[in-house]
Amino acid sequence: MLRPITIAVFAAVIGLWWLAGHLGWVSAFLLPAPATVADTMGDLIASGELARHSLVSLRRVSLGYAFAITLAVPLALLFVLSRPLRATFEPLLEFLRQIPPLALMPLLMLWLGIGETQKIGIIVLSCFFPIFLGVRGGFAAVDRKLIDVGTVCGFARPEIMLRIVLPSALPAIVVGLRIGLGYSWRALVGAELIASSAGLGYMIVDAENLARTDIVLAGILVIGALGLAADLLLRLAIRTLAPWLAGDLEMARA
Amino acid sequence: MLELVGIGRRYRVDGGEVRALADIDLVLPKGSFTALVGRSGCGKTTLLRILAGLESPSEGEIRRPAQAGPLRIGVVFQEARLMPWLDVRGNVGFGLHGRLPRHETAARCTAALDLVGLSAFAGAMPGQLSGGMAQRVAIARALVLEPEVLLLDEPFAALDAFTRRAMQNELVGIWQRRKPTVVFVTHDVEEAVLLGERVLEMQAGRIVGRENIELPYPRDPTAPEANRYRRTILARLMADPAAARPEPAALS
Ligand SMILES: Nc1ncnc2c1ncn2[C@@H]1O[C@H](COP(=O)(O)OP(=O)(O)OP(=O)(O)O)[C@@H](O)[C@H]1O
Ligand SMILES: [Mg+2]
């Protein structure tokens, strides 16, 4: 998975970053050197601060993401099964979908405070729609011609659902899950930047207030790395559970 | 035996109405081989779908003999329609899954794959097959069911001439051994004469001609007798005034 070219690209970016400081293109305050950031990262790891903030953020994302799935999947299934429900609530959902979750932050803070509930609320808001739409779209796009194959085999409805409709819908569902995961991670860090007392986003604003750009950069790198790791984990799970979906996943780079 | 009495099928299309089938009276004796020919859009697939129970007729009825279980029907569609998430073996055994002991399903799948010449591809995914190979998988999927009624919709259209001949012979062999009731749709008159005990000619939703092919199997499509049948059927299909008009009978 980690090809030489990938390593070369990352190395080149770090090299450029180092060069920028070394040749004095930017001040060491605005862009601390890679070595400084690495040192800071070491300190943050040694003091346990990085682990603490990361764990807080990861816990929020896991909870929020799991909660969003338990909310979005059944709701989407209801929508798939009931045309009246669709007709009634579709416009409302379409309206809600247009609102960026972070725009709801002020209200959420008033309603839920700035504790865990509000963070998880933001995550649910940000990844509900990708998951919901993935499930809905997956079921809507099932090929009638494949259902015919089950019908002539004498399958009853439950068997058609389980053996034809569900596997057909899976690619879109998986894509929705992947997009949702990315959204939730980004929304969380955003929420932590605005109002929080722990988490990677908080670590960054706190460092900014102390004029510690090295910590800011270290935090940014960790956020990127953890997001990437979560995505890789999801892809790995799918690759092992449903290898035929591996190709469909590439649509999900959102 | 299956009997169709006064079957008709209308579709609403773009505000108007298309009559895909009209006044179809047809008896399919148990164990018979019927070939259905006619140009594109004449209603062959619609008739097959009604026989398969995938579509209900707008008028008329299908009569079946009372029997214990449901009729085992095998269908080969015009396109392969494989499940993209199953490998070839999984697709072949698709209709048997959970209905037979595992080893029996496996044995039947192996035999069917062998029959269609795809044993080496048992583990391949549908995306890795050519069109003709996929269609052969679909044929195997229908055969493993050991159907009492076998409905085939232009099953060999995607095959090359050599595979096609081999598959035609295999089909006749299977039919002679197991005696399912076969309905074979094609727009190739030569193929119809090669395979069918009788050939039904369709035009604009109606059966307009019938020809019993009194030739022993295996047949030689280039034999003078076969050619004679072919010429008769073609002449009739071309002479029909409806043949000059490519669209099916459209009503407003
Ligand atoms: N689901 C449908 N909705 C509307 N019209 C349909 C539908 N299915 C078939 N028709 C119409 O019925 C007519 C007969 O179609 P059918 O598919 O039976 O033709 P066919 O003889 O199988 O043609 P081909 O040789 O091209 O497969 C056509 O005019 C077609 O447009
Ligand atoms: Mg057809």
Side-chain angles (χ1 to χ4, degrees):
Chain A
M1 199 171 282
L2 209 56
R3 286 169 305 165
I5 181 74
T6 313
I7 299 172
V9 167
F10 273 90
V13 170
I14 294 173
L16 212 62
W17 171 12
W18 172 80
L19 210 62
H22 189 70
L23 297 179
W25 294 344
V26 285
S27 82
F29 170 70
L30 293 180
L31 188 67
T36 318
V37 173
D39 275 351
T40 308
M41 190 91 84
D43 292 345
L44 287 170
I45 292 171
S47 68
E49 205 174 337
L50 189 64
R52 187 167 62 84
H53 289 300
S54 301
L55 280 178
V56 167
S57 293
L58 285 175
R59 182 174 163 276
R60 286 168 177 164
V61 164
S62 318
L63 280 175
Y65 189 57
F67 193 60
I69 290 176
T70 50
L71 205 68
V73 173
L75 216 62
L77 288 179
L78 276 180
F79 257 59
V80 168
L81 294 176
S82 160
R83 184 192 296 270
L85 206 66
R86 261 200 315 270
T88 314
F89 290 107
E90 184 94 79
L92 180 66
L93 281 170
E94 275 305 310
F95 172 75
L96 291 176
R97 193 161 77 87
Q98 307 306 323
I99 304 167
L102 286 182
L104 293 172
M105 268 290 279
L107 273 184
L108 274 184
M109 281 161 67
L110 283 176
W111 294 346
L112 305 173
I114 61 161
E116 295 304 291
T117 326
Q118 175 252 356
K119 300 294 176 303
I120 289 168
I122 278 287
I123 294 169
V124 171
L125 283 176
S126 62
C127 66
F128 174 85
F129 280 107
I131 300 173
F132 178 83
L133 292 175
V135 175
R136 267 206 59 189
F139 279 93
V142 172
D143 189 354
R144 296 258 356 142
K145 294 182 166 187
L146 294 185
I147 296 180
D148 282 350
V149 173
T151 309
V152 297
C153 287
F155 292 1
R157 233 179 114 87
E159 193 171 9
I160 288 186
M161 272 291 167
L162 208 66
R163 294 189 54 204
I164 300 177
V165 176
L166 191 62
S168 299
L170 224 45
I173 296 176
V174 154
V175 166
L177 287 175
R178 188 177 173 203
I179 295 178
L181 187 61
Y183 279 19
S184 60
W185 184 237
R186 280 172 271 182
L188 169 72
V189 175
E192 286 176 346
L193 281 171
I194 297 172
S196 182
S197 55
L200 287 169
Y202 165 75
M203 190 180 91
I204 292 178
V205 252
D206 191 43
E208 191 209 339
N209 292 336
L210 299 172
R212 288 289 304 272
T213 39
D214 51 333
I215 299 183
V216 173
L217 263 172
I220 287 170
L221 292 181
V222 171
I223 288 166
L226 285 179
L228 202 61
D231 191 52
L232 279 178
L233 221 62
L234 185 74
R235 283 164 67 185
L236 195 72
I238 287 155
R239 223 174 280 273
T240 37
L241 294 175
W244 69 92
L245 294 182
D248 297 300
L249 270 175
E250 296 314 311
M251 295 188 299
R253 289 194 183 274
Chain B
M1 190 180 79
L2 275 174
E3 194 178 356
L4 305 187
V5 188
I7 293 284
R9 183 71 169 103
R10 295 182 303 263
Y11 289 110
R12 300 214 136 273
V13 178
D14 195 21
E17 205 172 49
V18 169
R19 177 165 284 202
L21 289 178
D23 306 322
I24 302 283
D25 292 304
L26 182 58
V27 177
L28 300 172
K30 194 169 162 52
S32 62
F33 197 130
T34 306
L36 214 55
V37 279
R39 64 173 57 219
S40 184
C42 73
K44 306 181 294 293
T45 297
T46 307
L47 183 54
L48 219 58
R49 287 177 62 82
I50 286 177
L51 281 168
L54 287 172
E55 199 102 40
S56 38
S58 311
E59 59 259 339
E61 59 169 329
I62 305 181
R63 295 191 189 140
R64 285 184 187 157
Q67 64 168 43
L71 202 59
R72 277 202 313 279
I73 300 180
V75 181
V76 179
F77 294 94
Q78 214 163 341
E79 328 80 27
R81 304 195 184 186
L82 305 181
M83 309 295 149
W85 56 90
L86 295 176
D87 65 6
V88 165
R89 175 175 282 276
N91 267 291
V92 171
F94 189 72
L96 292 177
H97 183 93
R99 282 164 180 72
L100 286 179
R102 207 176 280 266
H103 62 91
E104 190 167 339
T105 302
R108 282 205 204 176
C109 290
T110 305
L113 279 171
D114 201 34
L115 191 71
V116 297
L118 287 176
S119 304
F121 289 86
M125 298 307 283
Q128 301 168 321
L129 304 177
S130 73
M133 288 160 84
Q135 191 62 1
R136 280 185 280 157
V137 175
I139 292 167
R141 176 176 64 190
L143 291 179
V144 291
L145 301 172
E146 301 193 344
E148 296 157 89
V149 177
L150 182 56
L151 308 173
L152 305 110
D153 198 352
E154 301 182 31
F156 305 146
L159 304 185
D160 64 280
F162 308 102
T163 315
R164 171 188 259 246
R165 276 316 307 275
M167 295 294 305
Q168 286 165 338
N169 291 338
E170 283 301 340
L171 177 65
V172 168
I174 289 164
W175 170 64
Q176 286 178 323
R177 262 177 280 135
R178 297 192 196 149
K179 279 288 170 184
T181 307
V182 178
V183 179
F184 188 102
V185 165
T186 175
H187 45 227
D188 180 357
V189 177
E190 176 182 311
E191 187 173 44
V193 170
L194 178 70
L195 297 175
E197 286 181 296
R198 65 175 170 168
V199 175
L200 302 183
E201 299 148 29
M202 280 188 75
Q203 203 120 65
R206 293 166 195 272
I207 294 174
V208 295
R210 294 163 201 250
E211 191 73 40
N212 290 324
I213 312 293
E214 321 263 359
L215 297 175
Y217 295 95
R219 293 174 180 164
D220 175 3
T222 57
E225 304 82 25
N227 258 324
R228 214 155 26 237
Y229 280 116
R230 216 173 119 197
R231 201 171 310 137
T232 318
I233 294 168
L234 258 177
R236 255 198 318 255
L237 278 172
M238 299 306 286
D240 194 291
R245 183 163 50 86
E247 318 92 74
L251 308 175
S252 52

